[in-house]
Amino acid sequence: CTLDSEVALRVGGDFFFDPQPGDSPVNLVLIAGGVGINPLFSILLHIADLHGYQEGKGNRHKLGTAKLYYSAKTTSELLFKKNILGLMKAFPGKITCCFHVTQQRSQVCEELQPHVTGK
């Protein structure tokens, strides 16, 4: 976003991401903490499916980017982290993630280091 950008926020409840062919592309910012990643991970998988389908068959979906901000106490509590890293590798620049840990005492594994902020 830039200064004066319009954004929409949705907290809790039933939510989903279901773009239709011909819709304008949107850039998503997904924010999760702990087990709250579950519905957002499903959205990321859907976005990956649409990107894969778009690249393979030239569908009519116009997709923006998806940026996930995901926080937990330690990297061991980051659910789906390997899957998320895989999505980032499969769709570079289209799906990105920043993990944040709040109480990590041990060294963060090398694979996660570029994507982790916090203590």
Side-chain angles (χ1 to χ4, degrees), residues 20-97:
Q20 299 301 307
D23 286 354
S24 296
V26 296
N27 295 320
L28 296 179
V29 176
L30 305 170
I31 302 169
V35 296
I37 188 66
N38 283 305
L40 300 185
F41 183 64
S42 294
I43 288 173
L44 278 181
L45 290 176
H46 182 56
I47 291 167
D49 285 344
L50 290 174
H51 275 302
Y53 183 74
Q54 183 177 35
E55 291 174 359
K57 300 188 180 185
N59 76 7
R60 298 177 302 157
H61 285 88
K62 296 177 189 117
L63 300 171
T65 60
K67 174 98 179 180
L68 172 66
Y69 292 92
Y70 181 22
S71 178
K73 289 179 183 176
T74 65
T75 56
S76 64
E77 292 183 15
L78 293 167
L79 305 177
F80 310 118
K81 62 184 167 271
K82 298 279 186 191
N83 304 83
I84 293 167
L85 290 173
L87 291 175
M88 290 175 18
K89 287 179 185 176
F91 303 100
K94 296 176 183 177
I95 297 175
T96 58
C97 180

